[in-house]
Amino acid sequence: MTDTRRRVKVYTLNEDRQWDDRGTGHVSSGYVERLKGMSLLVRAESDGSLLLESKINPNTAYQKQQDTLIVWSEAENYDLALSFQEKAGCDEIWEKICQVQGKDPSVDITQDLVDESEEERFDDMSSPGLELPSCDLSRLEEIAELVASSLPSPLRREKLALALENEGYIKKLLEIFHVCEDLENIEGLHHLYEIIKGIFLLNRTALFEVMFSEECIMDVIGCLEYDPSLSQSRKHREFLTKTAKFKEVIPISDPELKQKIHQTYRVQYIQDMVLPTPSVFEENMLSTLHSFIFFNKVEIVGMLQEDEKFLTELFAQLTDEATDEEKRQELVNFLKEFCAFSQTLQPQNRDAFFKTLSNMGILPALEVILGMDDAQVRSAATDIFSYLVEYNPSMVREFVMQEAQQNDDDILLINLIIEHMICDTDPELGGAVQLMGLLRTLVDPENMLATANKTEKTEFLGFFYKHCMHVLTAPLLANTTEDKPSKDDFQTAQLLALILELLTFCVEHHTYHIKNYIINKDILRRVLVLMASKHAFLALCALRFKRKIIGLKDEFYNRYIMKSFLFEPVVKAFLNNGSRYNLMNSAIIEMFEFIRVEDIKSLTAHVIENYWKALEDVDYVQTFKGLKLRFEQQRERQDNPKLDSMRSILRNHRYRRDARTLEDEEEMWFNTDEDDMEDGEAVVPPSDKTKNDDDIMDPISKFMERKKLKESEEKEVLLKTNLSGRQSPSFKLSFSGGTKTNLTSQSSASNLPGSPGSPGSPGSPGSPGSVSKSTSQMAAITTKGGLVGLVDYPDDDDEEDDEDEDKEETLPLSKKAKLESS
């Protein structure tokens, strides 16, 4: 996993004094030989390129700001900044910098700033703290200027924060706020806005504790209503006290919990609505505010989770039929908010949270809620269900399978989800899209568990296809009873497109379950009716579904397609599209091109035999002519099985040897021939050899005349074996009778020593020669009429080599010469 502690953004200051983002990467420190010193290195997280290489100079002033920012200047007009994702990473790099410069890591600045005057520098070093002006109405401008001037300097910001904490200054400022409001002193209220905003940017938890306390928080929000940049003040307090109402759907007995909920809501409101949108560096200054809200939410979830009485009452009222509609809506909204808060928890705490909800019966409760008529309640319940599915889909699957043993299909939770998807009244089908995503997660085998005792995939998919698939496909089947869709409005088309998307996913991932369903229910034929839809996106969805099926190259599917003539709607759509160059045209051509390239013989023959007349005039692509050529090749091979068999032998990878092997064997054969010719003569008569060549050449020559286009591998092998003017050293030719030709391998199992026709039998008839031991692994072809056979037993090679060695010593000299010369 990537170390997020060292993850940083690199910034440089441009001529307009604005910070430019130079990229995101991971920072490290190390000695760089070229720079002769310890340096900071940042490598981009995208491609590993070097974003920054900066030597840590002993005299450079480095500033640490807001716990996650390090800023420094490398030249007069070249300022740099590293903004860290995590405080821990910033602290690590800061320690390295301080170590090089010999400074204490507790400081926020390693050197005196160049742009500070001597007087300011002396003041910072000598004064133990920052002295605040007296908190009077007349000195508000002075206080505002002091706060604004302290923000750029980490040291002065630290001193200001300490002074505000020690003197209880914030409460005094809020008292003046009441005075200014009573006197309608707008100028004073504007100064207070600047002061309070500056205090937020000090980023101190201790100050937030004071500002967000029950007695102070509304006054702080009041100060932030008077933004000098606005012509009129905002009414935030009025909204929080009159418009926003706190509802206890279940009475909360713990006062601390109640106060924490109020506080969190108000602080969240300040962050989202009251404070102006922060710049890049101000956002880092508000990191403590984010953390304050985060930890408050964690505390709230933990306190509610521990209150068993509260949760028990919540689920009891949710499922109680006597609960009125308004109350139930409030309960569901509360539960939704509760689940949303849980997303802030750490993984182990989130596990405990959802386990608690599961034990309390959240899934049966959702089933009851989803069966209600109130659309808002169902929408909230859907959001809750999505949290559960994303957290643990296996938990949901286990529940629905157990439920199926007790209830009818109509009231199963997963079928309720499908029905809500189908009945979504939103014209854009926003809810249906969300529910389809949840169904896809539930039927995705990738997140299903497999144990030694049970396989979740097998069990759940068996359940889904038996109890749920008919509900999912019902709108599709109802709308495709004729040759064109019964309803073709936009909303229906969108819904059918969603269903097809899920079915396409199933084709890809569910293998035999979906195959059986499609073939038994004739689903593909019904889907292809949608090719006639006026909505192009729906027709393309239907085409994509068929393309996914063809892409599997499954002969069960292919036979089903051919038997039902399921290319007809596609060809019809292609012809109706005419000469328009659009996505439909390209998608259909691509499908036929796939069939041609992959050489799916059954579909090729079916398309050409049934639809060639409709497609033969399409000449702006070569796809259909290529299909026709494939078809003719198939027919020719069927008409001449001898050539088809020979071709298949030569193309068979098991017996094909590469060019280097053939050349080596050929060279060895010729060398052996030259060495041994002195001791004997070849005994194959020239006429016999010519006859053997002619016997083979005759059908191949005819085949070559009929077929001008041959694959390069076939040419190479055929030329070597038949057209070179001599026999390949890998073959031994023998014949008896004019119509029978044998090409036999020395390793043939039928030619064992001592058997008639074996290489080592001196008296075997019709066996004029053999091949030397070095060429024992050979192809063998036996042709008799239309029959072609191939025998190759490589496991027998070693045994036969030993036998050949013994025989060579005992063979007559002339026999040995015969073997070698052939």
Side-chain angles (χ1 to χ4, degrees):
M1 186 180 291
T2 305
D3 186 1
T4 56
R5 289 180 307 152
R6 295 290 187 93
R7 191 167 184 264
V8 295
K9 277 186 177 289
V10 180
Y11 293 93
T12 57
L13 198 64
N14 61 27
E15 295 178 354
D16 299 325
R17 308 301 293 170
Q18 300 293 321
W19 290 98
D20 292 334
D21 183 354
R22 294 300 183 187
T24 303
H26 291 85
V27 64
S28 60
S29 61
Y31 185 83
V32 177
E33 183 65 32
R34 184 175 61 82
L35 299 177
K36 305 294 183 185
M38 291 294 290
S39 304
L40 297 176
L41 304 171
V42 180
R43 293 197 176 276
E45 66 179 0
S46 57
D47 57 6
S49 59
L50 201 61
L51 294 179
L52 176 68
E53 186 181 58
S54 173
K55 181 180 177 181
I56 303 174
N57 292 309
N59 300 319
T60 298
Y62 290 86
Q63 295 181 63
K64 182 183 176 189
Q65 300 177 8
Q66 303 98 40
D67 292 334
T68 58
L69 198 65
I70 297 176
V71 184
W72 74 98
S73 298
E74 293 218 334
E76 186 176 347
N77 293 315
Y78 189 63
D79 292 353
L80 286 162
L82 294 180
S83 176
F84 289 77
Q85 180 171 328
E86 295 186 12
K87 179 180 181 296
C90 184
D91 291 342
E92 288 177 10
I93 296 300
W94 184 249
E95 285 180 13
K96 296 286 185 183
I97 294 170
C98 292
Q99 184 180 349
V100 172
Q101 295 198 341
K103 301 291 182 180
D104 186 347
S106 63
V107 301
D108 285 335
I109 182 168
T110 62
Q111 306 287 337
D112 294 329
L113 290 176
V114 177
D115 58 350
E116 285 186 338
S117 66
E118 291 293 329
E119 183 178 354
E120 287 173 331
R121 216 177 303 157
F122 178 76
D123 288 344
D124 284 344
M125 293 170 62
S126 60
S127 60
L130 190 67
E131 186 176 345
L132 294 171
S134 59
C135 195
D136 295 328
L137 180 60
S138 60
R139 304 192 70 176
L140 283 177
E141 184 176 0
E142 183 183 346
I143 297 168
E145 290 175 356
L146 175 65
V147 171
S149 65
S150 299
L151 290 175
S153 167
L155 186 60
R156 290 175 66 81
R157 196 167 61 249
E158 188 75 18
K159 290 180 178 181
L160 175 61
L162 288 172
L164 290 169
E165 288 175 34
N166 295 335
E167 299 180 19
Y169 209 78
I170 292 175
K171 291 185 178 179
K172 295 176 183 178
L173 287 171
L174 296 178
E175 290 174 4
I176 295 178
F177 167 70
H178 287 291
V179 174
C180 288
E181 274 208 314
D182 292 340
L183 298 175
E184 297 184 356
N185 184 340
I186 300 301
E187 185 180 359
L189 291 170
H190 285 169
H191 289 317
L192 281 166
Y193 172 89
E194 298 293 349
I195 293 166
I196 296 297
K197 178 188 170 187
I199 293 173
F200 268 97
L201 295 177
L202 292 176
N203 209 26
R204 297 280 292 205
T205 305
L207 296 178
F208 289 155
E209 294 286 354
V210 176
M211 296 167 71
F212 300 151
S213 64
E214 189 72 26
E215 58 181 316
C216 295
I217 189 166
M218 295 305 289
D219 291 337
V220 168
I221 294 171
C223 291
L224 293 172
E225 289 180 354
Y226 295 93
D227 186 346
S229 63
L230 301 175
S231 57
Q232 288 186 338
S233 63
R234 298 296 178 94
K235 304 295 183 185
H236 297 304
R237 286 172 295 173
E238 184 178 328
F239 173 81
L240 289 172
T241 55
K242 296 180 180 179
T243 307
K245 297 292 185 182
F246 176 65
K247 292 183 178 180
E248 291 183 74
V249 290
I250 303 292
I252 298 174
S253 55
D254 187 349
E256 184 184 352
L257 174 58
K258 192 180 296 186
Q259 189 274 330
K260 189 70 71 176
I261 293 171
H262 283 298
Q263 184 190 58
T264 304
Y265 176 76
R266 290 165 180 168
V267 176
Q268 186 88 55
Y269 182 83
I270 290 173
Q271 182 192 43
D272 296 341
M273 304 300 298
V274 180
L275 288 175
T277 304
S279 64
V280 170
F281 290 105
E282 285 179 337
E283 189 171 4
N284 285 323
M285 289 178 176
L286 293 172
S287 60
T288 304
L289 180 61
H290 301 320
S291 299
F292 188 93
I293 295 169
F294 173 83
F295 287 113
N296 263 21
K297 289 182 176 180
V298 171
E299 282 187 57
I300 291 169
V301 172
M303 293 166 79
L304 286 173
Q305 189 179 333
E306 292 167 6
D307 191 343
E308 289 189 11
K309 182 180 177 183
F310 177 87
L311 289 177
T312 304
E313 182 66 21
L314 172 67
F315 284 106
Q317 291 194 28
L318 266 176
T319 55
D320 189 354
E321 294 182 1
T323 305
D324 62 73
E325 297 270 333
E326 186 178 352
K327 178 70 172 178
R328 182 172 279 110
Q329 184 174 342
E330 291 173 357
L331 290 165
V332 173
N333 286 335
F334 169 80
L335 189 56
K336 174 185 170 182
E337 192 76 9
F338 193 28
C339 291
F341 270 36
S342 73
Q343 301 307 297
T344 62
L345 298 175
Q346 295 297 317
Q348 62 272 23
N349 295 334
R350 197 180 310 146
D351 288 347
F353 170 79
F354 280 110
K355 203 165 286 182
T356 301
L357 291 186
S358 178
N359 294 336
M360 288 288 176
I362 189 169
L363 285 169
L366 284 177
E367 193 170 33
V368 172
I369 298 166
L370 288 168
M372 296 177 180
D373 297 330
D374 192 324
Q376 289 184 328
V377 171
R378 291 203 310 266
S379 175
T382 301
D383 291 337
I384 297 168
F385 184 69
S386 69
Y387 285 123
L388 294 171
V389 171
E390 288 167 12
Y391 160 70
N392 191 348
S394 291
M395 178 181 75
V396 178
R397 285 192 284 260
E398 185 178 358
F399 169 78
V400 296
M401 284 192 290
Q402 290 175 353
E403 180 191 30
Q405 299 171 4
Q406 304 165 1
N407 299 331
D408 296 333
D409 288 358
D410 294 341
I411 58 174
L412 295 180
L413 175 60
I414 197 165
N415 283 346
L416 288 174
I417 295 294
I418 295 173
E419 286 170 10
H420 289 317
M421 180 195 78
I422 293 170
C423 301
D424 189 5
T425 55
D426 179 8
E428 297 298 323
L429 294 185
V433 171
Q434 181 188 12
L435 292 170
M436 182 59 70
L438 297 177
L439 285 173
R440 182 170 175 154
T441 302
L442 288 173
V443 300
D444 187 355
E446 294 296 323
N447 60 45
M448 294 183 184
L449 304 175
T451 63
N453 298 326
K454 68 170 186 174
T455 303
E456 186 182 19
K457 176 181 176 181
T458 304
E459 291 184 5
F460 181 76
L461 292 183
F463 157 82
F464 182 78
Y465 280 88
K466 181 178 179 181
H467 297 280
C468 308
M469 185 58 96
H470 66 279
V471 182
L472 178 66
T473 55
L476 170 68
L477 298 176
N479 207 39
T480 54
T481 53
E482 306 295 334
D483 292 338
K484 60 181 181 179
S486 307
K487 289 177 64 180
D488 205 18
D489 57 280
F490 179 72
Q491 191 166 352
T492 302
Q494 274 192 309
L495 175 62
L496 294 177
L498 281 176
I499 294 171
L500 282 179
E501 184 181 339
L502 185 59
L503 290 177
T504 305
F505 176 84
C506 294
V507 166
E508 185 175 2
H509 293 91
H510 290 179
T511 58
Y512 65 90
H513 287 96
I514 188 68
K515 185 196 302 181
N516 290 340
Y517 190 81
I518 288 173
I519 294 175
N520 292 335
K521 301 293 184 182
D522 200 14
I523 294 296
L524 180 56
R525 185 178 65 79
R526 305 295 284 272
V527 167
L528 291 176
V529 170
L530 302 177
M531 293 286 292
S533 171
K534 66 182 180 183
H535 300 284
F537 70 88
L538 180 57
L540 287 167
C541 282
L543 183 63
R544 185 161 56 246
F545 179 72
K546 180 171 183 176
R547 173 65 178 81
K548 186 66 70 176
I549 289 174
I550 290 175
L552 297 176
K553 297 191 285 188
D554 187 316
E555 280 303 312
F556 283 101
Y557 277 130
N558 293 347
R559 285 195 291 271
Y560 163 60
I561 290 170
M562 293 184 294
K563 182 180 178 182
S564 302
F565 294 93
L566 295 181
F567 274 103
E568 185 174 329
V570 178
V571 173
K572 190 178 293 184
F574 180 70
L575 297 175
N576 290 340
N577 191 62
S579 59
R580 284 174 291 181
Y581 180 60
N582 53 19
L583 190 55
M584 176 65 73
N585 175 275
S586 300
I588 293 176
I589 290 174
E590 188 278 333
M591 184 173 71
F592 285 111
E593 181 68 13
F594 176 83
I595 295 170
R596 185 192 70 81
V597 171
E598 296 296 324
D599 195 15
I600 305 176
K601 295 179 175 55
S602 56
L603 295 184
T604 300
H606 176 75
V607 169
I608 297 303
E609 287 172 354
N610 294 282
Y611 308 107
W612 171 244
K613 288 186 178 180
L615 300 171
E616 64 179 335
D617 294 333
V618 179
D619 55 3
Y620 54 87
V621 289
Q622 297 304 307
T623 296
F624 301 108
K625 287 182 170 54
L627 270 177
K628 175 73 168 171
L629 186 60
R630 288 278 193 195
F631 174 71
E632 290 173 349
Q633 290 173 351
Q634 292 174 28
R635 290 289 294 272
E636 188 143 8
R637 283 195 291 269
Q638 291 171 3
D639 294 341
N640 196 337
K642 179 167 65 175
L643 293 177
D644 183 44
S645 301
M646 182 180 293
R647 187 179 184 195
S648 67
I649 293 166
L650 296 172
R651 286 174 58 86
N652 192 324
H653 288 276
R654 181 181 172 193
Y655 306 106
R656 182 192 304 158
R657 276 170 283 173
D658 58 39
R660 287 176 298 175
T661 306
L662 291 173
E663 288 169 5
D664 292 343
E665 291 183 357
E666 187 172 340
E667 186 65 31
M668 290 176 67
W669 184 78
F670 277 117
N671 290 341
T672 305
D673 189 29
E674 290 171 3
D675 293 341
D676 295 332
M677 279 296 286
E678 298 172 2
D679 298 327
E681 298 178 348
V683 296
V684 179
S687 60
D688 288 351
K689 178 176 178 179
T690 305
K691 185 175 180 181
N692 233 347
D693 282 345
D694 290 341
D695 286 347
I696 297 174
M697 281 296 295
D698 184 58
I700 295 181
S701 298
K702 293 177 182 178
F703 179 76
M704 292 290 286
E705 289 171 2
R706 288 194 303 267
K707 299 295 298 156
K708 294 181 180 180
L709 181 63
K710 290 292 183 181
E711 296 182 7
S712 58
E713 283 185 347
E714 295 170 3
K715 277 187 177 181
E716 185 178 7
V717 179
L718 285 171
L719 285 170
K720 281 192 175 184
T721 55
N722 301 314
L723 302 178
S724 61
R726 67 170 183 268
Q727 292 173 327
S728 166
S730 299
F731 295 102
K732 179 186 75 173
L733 281 70
S734 66
F735 63 91
S736 58
T739 60
K740 182 177 179 181
T741 303
N742 290 324
L743 288 153
T744 57
S745 165
Q746 178 163 349
S747 59
S748 173
S750 62
N751 292 337
L752 294 174
S755 64
S758 69
S761 301
S764 58
S767 180
S770 183
V771 188
S772 64
K773 179 177 64 178
S774 62
T775 59
S776 62
Q777 293 183 355
M778 304 171 191
I781 308 174
T782 303
T783 321
K784 185 175 182 180
L787 176 64
V788 178
L790 180 63
V791 183
D792 188 6
Y793 299 97
D795 293 340
D796 297 335
D797 290 350
D798 295 339
E799 181 182 336
E800 290 176 12
D801 285 349
D802 295 338
E803 294 167 355
D804 289 344
E805 286 176 8
D806 296 338
K807 285 186 173 53
E808 267 197 277
E809 295 177 2
T810 59
L811 283 174
L813 187 62
S814 61
K815 188 67 176 180
K816 183 176 179 182
K818 292 174 188 176
L819 290 171
E820 290 168 344
S821 64
S822 59

